[in-house]
Amino acid sequence: MNADSRKGELADLKAQLRQLAGSRQPGVEDIKRELYKKVISYMTIGIDVSSLFSEMVMCSATSDLVLKKMCYLYVGNYARGHPDLALLTINFLQKDCHDDDPMIRGLALRSLCSLRVKNLVEYLIGPLRSGLKDANGYVRTVAAMGVLKLYHIAPSQCTDNEFPAMLRALLLNDPDAQVVANCLCALQEIYTAEVNVSPETAARDREHLLSKPVIYSLLNRIKDFTEWAQCLVLDMVSKYVPSDSDESFDMMNILEDRLQHTNSAVVLAAIKVFLHLTISMADIHQQVYERIKAPLLTLVNSGSAEQTYAVLSHLHLLVLRAPVLFSNDYKHFYCRYSDPTYVKKLKLEMLTAVANETNTYEIVTELSEYAANVDVAIARESIRAVGKIALQQYDVNAIVDRLLQFLEMEKDYVTAETLVLVKDLLRKYPQWSHDCIAVVGSVSSKTVTEPKAKSALVWMLGEYAYDMPDAPYILEGFIENWIEEDSAQVRLELLTAVTKIFFKRPPESIKMLGAALSAGLADAHQDVHDRALLYYRLLQQGVEVAERVVNPAKQAVSVFADTQSSEIKDRIFDEFNSLSVVYQQPSYMFLDKEVRGPIELTEDSGILPLGPTIADDVLPSQLVDATDNDLLLSASDKEESVAAVSNGSHYSGPDLAGFESSSAPPRSTSSPSSTSQVTSTSAAAATSLLDFEDLLGLNTYEVSTPALFSLKLKTKPSLVAQAFQRKWGQLAVALTLDHTLSSPASLPTPQPLIRHMQSNLVEVMASGGKAPTFKFFFYAQAADSPSSSGFFLVELIVNTSTGFSQAKIKADDASLAPAFQELFLAILSSFGSN
Amino acid sequence: MQVHCRESSVQSSRVSPSPLAHHSLHFGAGAGAGASPICAPAAMISQFFVLSLRGDNIVFRDYRGDVSKSSAEIFFRKVKFWKGEEGEEAPPVFNVDGVNYLHVKHSGLLFVATTRVNPSPALVLELLQRIARVTKDYLGVLNEDSLRKNFVLVYELLDEMIDFGYPQTTSTEGLKSFVFNEPVVVDAARIPSLGPAAMFVQGSKRVPGTAVTKSVVANDPSGKKREEVFVDIIEKISVTFNASGYVLTSEIDGTIQMKSYLTGSPEIKVGLNEDLTVGVRSSAPRDFVPDYSSGNSVGLVVLDDCNFHESVRLDDFETERALTLVPPDGEFPIMNYRMTQEFKPPFKVYPVIEEKGPFKAEVRLKVRADFASNITANMVILRVPMPKTTTRVSFALEEGAVGQTTDFKESTKVVEWCCRKIVGGSDHVLTAKLTLSQERNVNIKKEAGPISMTFTIPMYNASKLQVKYLQIVKKTKSYNPHRWVRYVTQANSYVIRT
């Protein structure tokens, strides 16, 4: 069969190679070449040709370079799996390492280092040492990388032989730039790994690598390096912290022309340096954004689709960080016909981010065109984008018109997405209900099939039962088809909607309610059953009680919960020019632990405060709103079911005696214990609500200060106005702070910021001003300090149109001021990052 | 040579010629302290491989041994069955079980790198692209066939381009001394006629078709090397027209590409339009109603931005708008540029969509070629999505139509109209009669379109950017290499909304 014929072929090859091994007749090299090629091609497609090892090595005594190189390739591939055979190659490789031709020396040394066989390491040390001292640059280049290979096979032998020190010397002095580049790769990797072995030495070595002399020596010859090595150098430079701003400017001047490179990797590496150098200089940082805009846009459109994607992902990150700076460039983010879906998706998000009062009309018009697109995924995303823009804006007038047009298109997926959008819109702008209801009323419920859209429609029917005369009748239709409804989500939503309608229009809906509850109680889905049971019991307690729980007065949602915390966003920004930007995830989320290395592991503590910080971003009250009352209910449902199970021995099913509906399953007989049973479960439900609030961070002041910061703030600092004034007058300004808010548009009034500050233990003393400029006086107190001291006072001026903010910080204890400044900045930058 | 790198004297002497030098250097606590940790370096790949579109391994190189050998299989399955809402294609970068896969599509092949660390995606993708380009320089033609025939040569190249996962030299020139295999040249005639060589063919002005498919190392059959250099100005245009025929957005993305077969590394000076302006446009939204009548779109060429190849010196750019370079071997972009200045779109399309009774509709497309009559556009294709309810389409071409084909794709409901050639100044009309399965919807116009268009126009460039001269520093009087300057404009995204 196939395997047999292959075996035969291998045996044949073996015999031929053996025959040729000692032959010196003319033309033998050509025959050997053909045989070698065959072997290599088998190797490539994954056939194991390691059985030919000794024959291949025997034939390798040749001066023909083509043959030699194929043999090196073969040996490198199989040596690790056959260490005993690999020994056979040592002899000729070592000999080649002393060849007169530098290229052969280099090739042999590279093969020798690539064997990856531990017990052959002793043969490596000598050639490697002389390789690093070779007069030829190519050999040294190979040797520098060889050191790293040695380190991976035998770390201690590498360090014991002082190889890293030799690399360090070459790093600063070698005339060949590629040698320097390879030293840099090798040293970075070695030092990173050495942290496990001797942390202190490794830390010192790493610091040395990032020291001024090293950085300057690299920067001064940046143009000698290949474009790839330039990227490597720039990546290093981005980690260097200059001593003052003059130094930063000099570095930027040197690197300015790197922004005009045709290679996007060089440009992005340079941009990372610029961004990191200016991170604490708000105005310069902004200028950097302006400067890098044009080169980035050129790169986006000059390369292949793949390169476009890599560059656009980075532009996307910048746009989302500072949308205001890109609001005039929106046309560049319009989708092109030829863009692949992954590029279009990024562009849609960017369009959403940069939409503001002046460009919304045009952006939404453009997005509406995509809604009619043949590419369904993009059509859906476009409608979602319109929805997100509507939620950001105050004038949704025009957008409501678009919605009407979407529904007119009569495409199922467009209608579905639009309904979801309208629902979200209504939760934020209840005042638009009249216009939206008109739109929704025109939708035929039969064309709505997707669960998400159905849920949205049902929610609106329940919520706006007053404004929609036929709401109960539409719902009735849904309830009649209860059995056919596959989605539990829709059935849950139906229960809530019917109950809500019952509060508003009882005579028309009482029958339907009974039908829904009994269908719900009989439902196989646990959550549906539990919700029906909860409503039923609540109603037993009285309609008012039930209404208070099921349909409490709602506040409009002002900010929808963000999916990503600002801390995560900052981490991604720190990892600019890496895969983190493409995945929109910090590296700890997608890399294996062992790969990340020990240094990054210590940073992992940052994961711990993640839970609370997500909640921190949004004001607690808003969060409750944003998660909708049905989330509230589903969480309490679960609690309730637990309670029911835990005292299951008493459980005797629902008591239907007091309830008008007779259609509910008469599963129970009234027992004396049932009343107390009901109260205990509803009490459990009530307490569970409290638990739920805890879950959302309502009472989590003690965890809301991220553990990352050395300074802890007191939970309830108290400072009367006079004391504040006195202190403000007495204390000198300890520090000032400039910061650009990530989304100033979310600050129409000072209140959101005040609430945000308060949720982070910074209290407000006074606020004032008129849009776009607001002024605040904040105060906070260090934890563990006596009641009258340890205060920090802050005057903050915010311009809401530019997002630029300026703070003056005063402190009772000036030594704590820097720590507070750091904390304050963190709190401030986490504001409104949606 | 001094080795102690902490000594400031060594440092300042090394640093002195640079602008950084005027800083007194003080080390110790200040300089490196507080530096962020070094993570794994910026670029390190574990494996490199090339797959055919069927998933066969053509080339496979493992550099670090930390990713499973079955990665190619895992990758291919993932790409082929990419999950997505509605059949999207896989992004160029994704992660499966802790392994990052980065790939580019090139000439019907997949160039893939794997890694377990967190490199710069731009770097890896640029590297893959470069590997493809260098390989093409050596093989003349890059496709599955040529790669299979020359895989040993490709391994030679890969050995020098990447060591232990780190990119080394990728210059076609620098690699020459490491390549000992003679390329097995694949017959260039077998490349489809719309390959890169044919792109520039305009009427009788033929350039040697073999030139762009010539290997940098292969010996010419005639025994002597032909001294020649090609400069190509390739512009990709994106235009969106609104339903009333006005230009909503337009952009030109251009590349000046060079391919040199000159020996002895002579210096070349490329002169561009003297009145060329770069980057003065503000990014403010511009008025998108171009005024062609006054003819002000001719003349001044204003680029939004541009970038240059490493080898280009800009000493004479400010004064003479000239680029100076010693071209390295192989094909490379001298300059990329981007322009949003108004320009005259080469094609105008006038669609008319009408209902013709309850189950019938008619779509009439008129295309006008808005360029000089001595220029011919190739492979002009219009695609029009029809209403979902369309069941049948019958076409009526204009009388005496030559080289035109029509097609209606049942599965996607898209009408495709292809004209092999369109001469400047001419008009062409297609009438498509639709049969609908349902009674016509509210707005049939909304359901058809938008129209998208692809074309290639040789010897035409929309931006008016020109190579005015191409000076080659002469070694001897008789040295007079062939110089080719070629222009071509292609549609990138040419959309007419209905």
Side-chain angles (χ1 to χ4, degrees):
Chain A
M1 287 242 339
N2 205 357
D4 285 339
S5 72
R6 191 172 292 149
K7 226 178 218 167
E9 222 168 317
L10 281 188
D12 195 30
L13 272 173
K14 207 179 175 119
Q16 290 188 54
L17 282 168
R18 197 167 283 228
Q19 208 179 3
L20 290 172
S23 166
R24 296 210 174 275
Q25 54 181 288
V28 70
E29 307 290 355
D30 287 341
I31 308 171
K32 274 192 194 171
R33 276 195 193 187
E34 283 313 308
L35 289 176
Y36 269 40
K37 266 190 196 171
K38 215 174 240 176
V39 173
I40 302 285
S41 79
Y42 281 156
M43 196 176 90
T44 298
I45 53 175
I47 297 170
D48 185 5
V49 284
S50 60
S51 57
L52 305 175
F53 205 106
S54 43
E55 285 74 18
M56 288 290 283
V57 174
M58 277 199 293
C59 283
S60 60
T62 172
S63 54
D64 182 53
L65 263 169
V66 176
L67 273 178
K68 230 185 216 338
K69 287 176 83 174
M70 282 198 269
C71 187
Y72 290 157
L73 182 69
Y74 176 88
V75 168
N77 209 34
Y78 286 114
R80 194 151 65 142
H82 305 271
D84 44 332
L85 292 171
L87 189 63
L88 299 174
T89 63
I90 292 288
N91 202 11
F92 85 86
L93 285 177
Q94 272 189 328
K95 202 174 108 251
D96 284 353
C97 280
H98 293 102
D99 200 279
D100 285 341
D101 183 347
M103 192 192 312
I104 293 183
R105 290 203 300 275
L107 289 170
L109 184 58
R110 190 163 61 208
S111 299
L112 198 57
C113 295
S114 303
L115 292 179
R116 296 188 221 161
V117 178
K118 201 155 190 165
N119 52 11
L120 298 183
V121 161
E122 51 182 310
Y123 301 101
L124 213 61
I125 310 289
L128 207 48
R129 200 186 296 274
S130 44
L132 287 173
K133 289 179 192 144
D134 201 289
N136 183 280
Y138 176 68
V139 182
R140 292 197 304 277
T141 312
V142 170
M145 208 45 99
V147 172
L148 181 57
K149 291 172 186 165
L150 170 64
Y151 183 84
H152 276 264
I153 316 165
S156 57
Q157 267 153 299
C158 179
T159 46
D160 291 350
N161 282 289
E162 298 288 326
F163 280 121
M166 290 169 79
L167 293 187
R168 234 160 68 177
L170 290 175
L171 178 70
L172 286 166
N173 296 310
D174 202 285
D176 187 314
Q178 192 57 42
V179 177
V180 175
N182 285 4
C183 288
L184 194 60
C185 302
L187 286 175
Q188 287 194 66
E189 250 193 71
I190 291 173
Y191 290 156
T192 307
E194 272 297 286
V195 170
N196 287 330
V197 189
S198 52
E200 277 167 37
T201 331
R204 206 181 51 235
D205 287 339
R206 285 206 326 271
E207 205 170 284
H208 167 257
L209 213 50
L210 281 174
S211 67
K212 201 166 191 167
V214 176
I215 296 290
Y216 278 33
S217 80
L218 296 173
L219 272 183
N220 282 338
R221 56 190 302 193
I222 186 91
K223 280 167 200 162
D224 298 345
F225 292 102
T226 66
E227 48 206 300
W228 318 111
Q230 287 183 20
C231 296
L232 194 79
V233 169
L234 291 172
D235 187 60
M236 262 267 292
V237 172
S238 73
K239 290 168 187 152
Y240 169 71
V241 182
S243 50
D244 55 28
S245 55
D246 283 355
E247 204 184 333
S248 302
F249 289 127
D250 285 341
M251 287 168 69
M252 287 194 281
N253 283 333
I254 285 198
L255 297 177
E256 170 93 24
D257 63 349
R258 297 297 88 193
L259 297 176
Q260 266 190 0
H261 206 285
T262 44
N263 187 326
S264 63
V266 174
V267 177
L268 283 173
I271 287 177
K272 182 173 186 175
V273 174
F274 278 60
L275 291 173
H276 280 203
L277 283 176
T278 57
I279 195 85
S280 54
M281 300 185 269
D283 48 336
I284 310 288
H285 198 61
Q286 191 167 330
Q287 282 177 30
V288 169
Y289 272 70
E290 294 291 344
R291 173 68 185 84
I292 63 185
K293 211 187 270 179
L296 277 176
L297 287 169
T298 304
L299 288 172
V300 162
N301 294 321
S302 59
S304 63
E306 292 91 359
Q307 284 153 306
T308 296
Y309 181 63
V311 179
L312 198 68
S313 297
H314 286 83
L315 193 58
H316 175 267
L317 174 78
L318 297 176
V319 166
L320 262 55
R321 265 186 99 77
V324 188
L325 298 180
F326 294 89
S327 55
N328 286 335
D329 305 296
Y330 60 94
K331 282 191 177 162
H332 292 293
F333 311 142
Y334 282 0
C335 293
R336 290 184 176 177
Y337 183 78
S338 48
D339 288 336
T341 310
Y342 51 78
V343 167
K344 282 183 180 154
K345 280 189 171 173
L346 284 177
K347 286 187 169 176
L348 289 178
E349 285 179 29
M350 291 157 86
L351 282 173
T352 314
V354 299
N356 64 10
E357 287 82 356
T358 51
N359 60 22
T360 293
Y361 180 78
E362 283 191 71
I363 291 181
V364 171
T365 307
E366 181 75 12
L367 288 172
S368 305
E369 290 285 344
Y370 308 152
N373 206 302
V374 271
D375 185 345
V376 176
I378 289 307
R380 281 180 187 276
E381 292 283 343
S382 306
I383 297 169
R384 283 176 210 155
V386 172
K388 281 185 201 141
I389 292 174
L391 291 172
Q392 289 166 10
Q393 303 286 321
Y394 305 99
D395 176 28
V396 280
N397 217 336
I399 297 183
V400 171
D401 289 347
R402 308 286 179 181
L403 299 180
L404 272 167
Q405 289 171 9
F406 287 160
L407 292 175
E408 269 175 21
M409 287 163 60
E410 291 183 18
K411 288 186 181 171
D412 289 353
Y413 56 89
V414 174
T415 308
E417 291 295 337
T418 310
L419 282 173
V420 176
L421 191 166
V422 172
K423 178 205 68 183
D424 288 342
L425 215 58
L426 284 174
R427 287 170 59 202
K428 185 164 180 186
Y429 307 107
Q431 67 270 29
W432 286 100
S433 61
H434 272 287
D435 304 72
C436 292
I437 290 310
V439 182
V440 173
S442 69
V443 175
S444 152
S445 57
K446 286 188 187 62
T447 59
V448 184
T449 49
E450 290 173 36
K452 253 176 92 182
K454 242 185 198 177
S455 305
L457 180 63
V458 170
W459 180 84
M460 286 185 277
L461 291 169
E463 190 68 28
Y464 296 96
Y466 277 132
D467 308 310
M468 296 162 89
D470 30 339
Y473 309 104
I474 301 176
L475 275 181
E476 207 159 19
F478 278 113
I479 293 189
E480 278 163 17
N481 292 323
W482 184 280
I483 310 288
E484 282 97 68
E485 181 53 62
D486 290 331
S487 159
Q489 188 199 352
V490 175
R491 300 202 298 273
L492 282 168
E493 206 59 69
L494 272 171
L495 282 173
T496 310
V498 171
T499 315
K500 273 153 70 178
I501 285 202
F502 172 70
F503 299 137
K504 289 167 188 159
R505 300 163 68 171
E508 289 162 277
S509 54
I510 181 87
K511 238 184 116 184
M512 178 166 57
L513 178 63
L517 286 179
S518 69
L521 285 170
D523 203 290
H525 195 277
Q526 189 68 45
D527 286 350
V528 179
H529 170 263
D530 290 352
R531 184 177 291 192
L533 188 62
L534 173 75
Y535 286 178
Y536 170 67
R537 294 238 164 101
L538 282 169
L539 287 162
Q540 264 189 328
Q541 292 296 301
V543 174
E544 269 175 44
V545 178
E547 185 163 14
R548 270 212 312 278
V549 176
V550 181
N551 195 25
K554 277 187 272 298
Q555 270 184 307
V557 184
S558 53
V559 181
F560 279 85
D562 198 356
T563 47
Q564 254 183 0
S565 78
S566 59
E567 200 216 328
I568 288 190
K569 287 179 188 165
D570 285 344
R571 266 171 168 266
I572 298 172
F573 184 70
D574 284 341
E575 296 175 347
F576 192 86
N577 197 22
S578 76
L579 297 173
S580 311
V581 178
V582 173
Y583 296 150
Q584 301 181 24
Q585 277 180 351
S587 55
Y588 68 74
M589 290 186 175
F590 61 88
L591 289 187
D592 293 345
K593 276 219 155 55
E594 65 269 27
V595 177
R596 267 181 278 144
I599 307 153
E600 287 190 280
L601 274 181
T602 56
E603 280 184 294
D604 274 2
S605 56
I607 306 173
L608 294 176
L610 211 67
T613 45
I614 286 176
D616 274 356
D617 273 354
V618 189
L619 298 174
S621 61
Q622 292 168 344
L623 196 65
V624 174
D625 286 338
T627 48
D628 199 349
N629 59 345
D630 57 22
L631 175 55
L632 199 68
L633 283 165
S634 64
S636 52
D637 276 353
K638 288 193 184 92
E639 284 297 323
E640 199 259 0
S641 70
V642 169
V645 170
S646 65
N647 45 18
S649 56
H650 299 282
Y651 184 69
S652 55
D655 173 19
L656 298 163
F659 194 59
E660 285 171 308
S661 165
S662 53
S663 54
R667 279 204 279 153
S668 73
T669 49
S670 202
S671 75
S673 68
S674 70
T675 354
S676 62
Q677 168 66 37
V678 168
T679 29
S680 77
T681 20
S682 60
T687 33
S688 72
L689 280 182
L690 286 177
D691 291 349
F692 180 65
E693 283 171 353
D694 279 345
L695 211 65
L696 284 176
L698 279 173
N699 299 320
T700 48
Y701 276 164
E702 52 286 348
V703 288
S704 63
T705 314
L708 281 173
F709 297 99
S710 53
L711 183 69
K712 295 255 184 303
L713 295 179
K714 213 174 214 167
T715 317
K716 293 233 179 300
S718 87
L719 189 64
V720 292
Q722 287 95 335
F724 184 95
Q725 271 183 324
R726 202 173 55 243
K727 277 184 194 288
W728 189 260
Q730 285 166 352
L731 296 170
V733 175
L735 285 164
T736 59
L737 179 72
D738 288 348
H739 174 70
T740 306
L741 287 180
S742 53
S743 61
S746 62
L747 197 61
T749 64
Q751 268 65 41
L753 183 63
I754 292 176
R755 268 179 282 159
H756 175 73
M757 286 300 181
Q758 284 171 336
S759 67
N760 285 291
L761 309 183
V762 177
E763 291 296 327
V764 67
M765 179 52 70
S767 68
K770 245 181 104 184
T773 309
F774 293 112
K775 188 170 178 176
F776 304 86
F777 284 101
F778 293 110
Y779 66 95
Q781 193 178 14
D784 315 314
S785 54
S787 60
S788 61
S789 66
F791 278 103
F792 303 99
L793 312 181
V794 187
E795 180 202 63
L796 177 73
I797 298 169
V798 180
N799 184 322
T800 55
S801 62
T802 60
F804 184 71
S805 58
Q806 216 172 10
K808 285 184 187 140
I809 298 172
K810 300 186 178 188
D812 278 341
D813 180 357
S815 67
L816 290 177
F820 178 75
Q821 182 195 28
E822 196 188 338
L823 180 62
F824 188 79
L825 180 64
I827 298 172
L828 201 58
S829 31
S830 69
F831 173 68
S833 35
N834 54 317
Chain B
M1 194 167 248
Q2 271 283 30
V3 174
H4 299 287
C5 36
R6 276 176 195 275
E7 275 183 35
S8 54
S9 60
V10 179
Q11 288 317 305
S12 39
S13 69
R14 287 190 67 85
V15 167
S16 57
S18 91
L20 286 175
H22 67 268
H23 279 281
S24 56
L25 300 170
H26 42 84
F27 312 126
S36 45
I38 302 170
C39 332
M44 189 229 282
I45 65 169
S46 292
Q47 298 164 328
F48 165 83
F49 47 88
V50 184
L51 298 183
S52 73
L53 287 183
R54 291 184 311 279
D56 302 335
N57 247 345
I58 303 175
V59 175
F60 187 97
R61 193 80 171 88
D62 194 327
Y63 291 104
R64 310 235 355 158
D66 59 354
V67 171
S68 139
K69 298 266 182 218
S70 57
S71 56
E73 214 175 300
I74 297 170
F75 164 81
F76 190 71
R77 216 178 305 133
K78 195 81 185 167
V79 166
K80 201 163 175 205
F81 305 106
W82 185 255
K83 50 164 207 315
E85 250 177 293
E86 341 269 335
E88 299 151 35
E89 62 181 303
V93 186
F94 55 81
N95 181 302
V96 183
D97 298 333
V99 177
N100 299 301
Y101 295 83
L102 298 99
H103 75 281
V104 302
K105 285 195 187 118
H106 199 296
S107 313
L109 299 163
L110 292 160
F111 287 71
V112 193
T114 64
T115 175
R116 281 190 181 275
V117 295
N118 191 16
S120 155
L123 193 149
V124 178
L125 294 171
E126 288 270 1
L127 180 65
L128 291 173
Q129 201 80 44
R130 184 68 52 86
I131 292 174
R133 208 178 73 197
V134 170
T135 310
K136 181 172 175 266
D137 282 342
Y138 277 88
L139 305 188
V141 179
L142 180 59
N143 59 24
E144 190 179 337
D145 189 27
S146 69
L147 214 54
R148 281 189 190 282
K149 288 204 167 102
N150 291 288
F151 70 95
V152 181
L153 191 155
V154 176
Y155 277 126
E156 283 192 293
L157 289 171
L158 283 175
D159 266 348
E160 301 305 324
M161 287 197 277
I162 302 173
D163 194 6
F164 209 45
Y166 290 100
Q168 305 289 309
T169 179
T170 55
S171 92
T172 300
E173 180 126 4
L175 288 164
K176 266 187 178 168
S177 52
F178 295 98
V179 172
F180 295 95
N181 279 286
E182 283 270 330
V184 180
V185 180
V186 181
D187 190 2
R190 275 195 283 154
I191 311 165
S193 62
L194 274 164
M199 198 164 86
F200 299 97
V201 177
Q202 171 71 71
S204 57
K205 279 178 275 178
R206 225 160 240 286
V207 289
T210 52
V212 270
T213 57
K214 198 164 79 177
S215 162
V216 289
V217 284
N219 290 323
D220 218 47
S222 61
K224 63 174 183 186
K225 267 188 95 173
R226 195 175 150 95
E227 290 278 317
E228 53 188 349
V229 57
F230 293 83
V231 175
D232 299 333
I233 293 89
I234 303 167
E235 296 192 340
K236 291 185 185 158
I237 59 177
S238 296
V239 184
T240 307
F241 299 88
N242 71 6
S244 340
Y246 284 108
V247 176
L248 278 176
T249 55
S250 61
E251 181 170 314
I252 298 174
D253 299 302
T255 300
I256 304 181
Q257 199 160 286
M258 184 176 273
K259 190 156 190 175
S260 159
Y261 295 95
L262 302 176
T263 49
S265 311
E267 190 178 88
I268 295 188
K269 198 165 170 183
V270 183
L272 306 176
N273 310 36
E274 275 169 19
D275 54 3
L276 182 74
T277 322
V278 182
V280 291
R281 290 184 83 80
S282 73
S283 58
R286 63 198 173 88
D287 190 1
F288 278 103
V289 187
D291 177 15
Y292 300 126
S293 54
S294 63
N296 62 359
S297 61
V298 188
L300 206 63
V301 178
V302 184
L303 304 180
D304 290 43
D305 183 55
C306 56
N307 59 35
F308 303 98
H309 188 262
E310 192 129 71
S311 64
V312 173
R313 282 190 290 121
L314 297 172
D315 309 344
D316 300 328
F317 190 68
E318 282 309 314
T319 49
E320 307 168 43
R321 294 296 178 213
L323 312 171
T324 320
L325 69 157
V326 176
D329 279 340
E331 190 176 275
F332 65 99
I334 311 180
M335 170 180 168
N336 295 311
Y337 56 92
R338 180 167 55 84
M339 187 178 112
T340 52
Q341 184 191 28
E342 295 92 47
F343 62 91
K344 190 171 171 180
F347 285 102
K348 287 229 164 174
V349 178
Y350 305 92
V352 181
I353 303 169
E354 287 173 329
E355 52 170 302
K356 300 266 176 183
F359 293 97
K360 293 220 177 302
E362 190 181 277
V363 178
R364 222 172 73 94
L365 299 172
K366 185 165 113 175
V367 177
R368 168 168 297 160
D370 240 349
F371 44 87
S373 58
N374 59 346
I375 286 172
T376 306
N378 296 332
M379 287 312 280
V380 182
I381 302 172
L382 285 92
R383 291 188 183 83
V384 196
M386 292 296 161
K388 285 276 167 286
T389 54
T390 312
T391 50
R392 219 159 50 83
V393 182
S394 63
F395 297 100
L397 289 168
E398 62 202 343
E399 271 188 44
V402 180
Q404 295 186 21
T405 54
T406 53
D407 186 29
F408 172 63
K409 290 207 167 57
E410 186 71 43
S411 57
T412 53
K413 308 281 183 196
V414 171
V415 159
E416 202 176 282
W417 176 27
C418 173
C419 307
R420 288 194 63 82
K421 289 198 184 313
I422 291 188
V423 179
S426 64
D427 282 355
H428 298 277
V429 181
L430 171 75
T431 312
K433 291 185 165 45
L434 315 184
T435 310
L436 308 173
S437 63
Q438 273 173 36
E439 208 160 331
R440 179 189 62 77
N441 283 330
V442 193
N443 193 346
I444 192 136
K445 266 198 158 179
K446 273 281 154 224
E447 283 200 54
I451 302 161
S452 62
M453 209 174 164
T454 55
F455 50 80
T456 302
I457 318 176
M459 304 322 282
Y460 175 88
N461 74 329
S463 70
K464 309 266 187 277
L465 180 86
Q466 281 178 321
V467 171
K468 297 278 181 192
Y469 56 86
L470 195 62
Q471 278 175 7
I472 303 175
V473 175
K474 289 184 181 176
K475 286 173 286 191
T476 59
K477 265 227 166 87
S478 60
Y479 184 68
N480 195 13
H482 296 275
R483 282 165 273 194
W484 306 95
V485 179
R486 308 179 295 183
Y487 296 87
V488 68
T489 292
Q490 287 178 303
N492 180 14
S493 169
Y494 207 84
V495 175
I496 299 100
R497 289 181 178 160
T498 49

